[in-house]
Amino acid sequence: IREFGMASAMNGMALHGGVIPYGGTFLVFSDYCRPAIRLSALQEARVIYVMTHDSIGLGEDGPTHQPVETLASLRAMPNFAVFRPCDPIETAECWELAVERFDGPSGMVLTRQGVPLLRTDAGAENKSAKGAYVLAEAEGTRKVTLMATGSEVSIAMAARDMLQADGIGAAVVSMPSWELFEEQDQAYRDKVLGPGTVRVAVEAAIRMGWDRYIGSDGGFVGMTGFGASAPAGELYKHFGITADAVVAEAKSRIN
């Protein structure tokens, strides 16, 4: 496996022109690509990195192959657009955005495990283009805003149903691209994030970076260390990345 060679070749192809190069590997192996990824961002090279097996959800390969800090490190890189879609429709939207990005590289961060179809409204509007949007608004007054990316959006949706059943208005925000969300005006960001609501984020990665959206007193359900080797479903339960945990984080912050 030659991730650095692959990424370097992609840069050369993009700078030569005539093609939009893309290449794939596990997300954790983006560390091997990193010097070339950084150069593609620096040179504004139009390349697309397809990075799969993006969390503990890859299962039995264990912690050597399970990225927990990688999303935070890639989001920290200037001019690198990270896309972590939650379902097939968001994946198509994010792929469109990556292909149409002319001034820098993109990373498509995808799961190994299957994910449910959460969107049925594919159409003229690319909702992922704003980086984040309200996937499901609260029924009644919004008291809680649940934020998630990728495979954890379905967990947030399940938690929303549980909160609503208890009479607590909860909205779910899908955030496939932090970089694009940061480009939106303050009014849009406030509308999505719900000022004055309890905020809880869920992502099968470390918390780093989430405080800008949930605040220092917001709730977070995710990883605090390395993963383990087991089937994906067992790992999510073992590390407490569940709808029950999201509900508990929200309820503990409601006055």
Side-chain angles (χ1 to χ4, degrees), residues 90-138:
E90 270 198 8
T91 301
E93 290 181 341
C94 291
W95 181 257
E96 178 184 39
L97 295 168
V99 169
E100 293 179 348
R101 189 165 190 259
F102 293 91
D103 58 355
S106 303
M108 292 286 294
V109 179
L110 307 174
T111 68
R112 176 196 183 190
Q113 71 273 29
V115 293
L117 182 67
L118 300 177
R119 293 261 307 275
T120 57
D121 61 343
E125 180 187 4
N126 185 328
K127 293 185 177 180
S128 298
K130 292 187 175 181
Y133 62 95
V134 178
L135 175 62
E137 188 52 272

Side-chain angles (χ1 to χ4, degrees), residues 134 137 141-147 169 171 173 181 185-199 212-215 217:
V134 178
E137 188 52 272
T141 302
R142 190 200 296 194
K143 297 180 180 178
V144 175
T145 301
L146 306 177
M147 309 171 206
V173 173
F181 187 56
D185 60 42
Q186 190 64 49
Y188 177 79
R189 284 183 284 167
D190 286 344
K191 180 181 178 181
V192 169
L193 297 178
T197 62
V198 170
R199 299 180 183 179
R212 78 175 75 175
Y213 303 122
I214 62 176
D217 58 346

Side-chain angles (χ1 to χ4, degrees), residues 10-232:
M10 288 162 59
N11 284 347
M13 294 166 68
L15 294 172
H16 178 274
V19 295
I20 306 173
Y22 67 92
T25 187
F26 284 19
L27 177 60
V28 75
F29 297 139
S30 65
D31 284 349
Y32 298 145
C33 303
R34 195 169 188 89
I37 293 176
R38 189 172 187 274
L39 278 178
S40 64
L42 182 64
Q43 298 173 112
E44 300 183 350
R46 188 186 184 191
V47 300
I48 303 173
Y49 301 92
V50 182
M51 301 171 179
T52 64
H53 298 64
D54 67 352
S55 73
I56 58 170
L58 71 83
E60 291 85 349
D61 282 352
T64 56
H65 287 54
Q66 293 167 353
V68 292
E69 79 288 5
T70 312
L71 276 170
S73 69
L74 290 175
R75 286 168 176 157
M77 187 179 295
N79 197 37
F80 186 75
V82 177
F83 296 100
R84 189 169 188 247
C86 72
D87 75 351
I89 291 177
E90 270 198 8
T91 301
E93 290 181 341
C94 291
W95 181 257
E96 178 184 39
L97 295 168
V99 169
E100 293 179 348
R101 189 165 190 259
F102 293 91
D103 58 355
S106 303
M108 292 286 294
V109 179
L110 307 174
T111 68
R112 176 196 183 190
Q113 71 273 29
V115 293
L117 182 67
L118 300 177
R119 293 261 307 275
T120 57
D121 61 343
E125 180 187 4
N126 185 328
K127 293 185 177 180
S128 298
K130 292 187 175 181
Y133 62 95
V134 178
L135 175 62
E137 188 52 272
E139 297 173 14
T141 302
R142 190 200 296 194
K143 297 180 180 178
V144 175
T145 301
L146 306 177
M147 309 171 206
T149 74
S151 49
E152 288 71 66
V153 176
S154 61
I155 295 175
M157 289 290 283
R160 173 189 178 271
D161 291 343
M162 295 166 66
L163 289 166
Q164 289 287 169
D166 289 340
I168 301 171
V172 172
V173 173
S174 180
M175 303 186 70
S177 176
W178 291 13
E179 294 79 15
L180 292 183
F181 187 56
E182 288 297 316
E183 294 177 2
Q184 308 310 310
D185 60 42
Q186 190 64 49
Y188 177 79
R189 284 183 284 167
D190 286 344
K191 180 181 178 181
V192 169
L193 297 178
T197 62
V198 170
R199 299 180 183 179
V200 179
V202 52
E203 187 173 65
I206 60 172
R207 178 171 177 148
M208 185 177 293
W210 276 106
D211 283 356
R212 78 175 75 175
Y213 303 122
I214 62 176
S216 60
D217 58 346
F220 179 74
V221 174
M223 299 295 291
T224 58
F226 292 112
S229 178

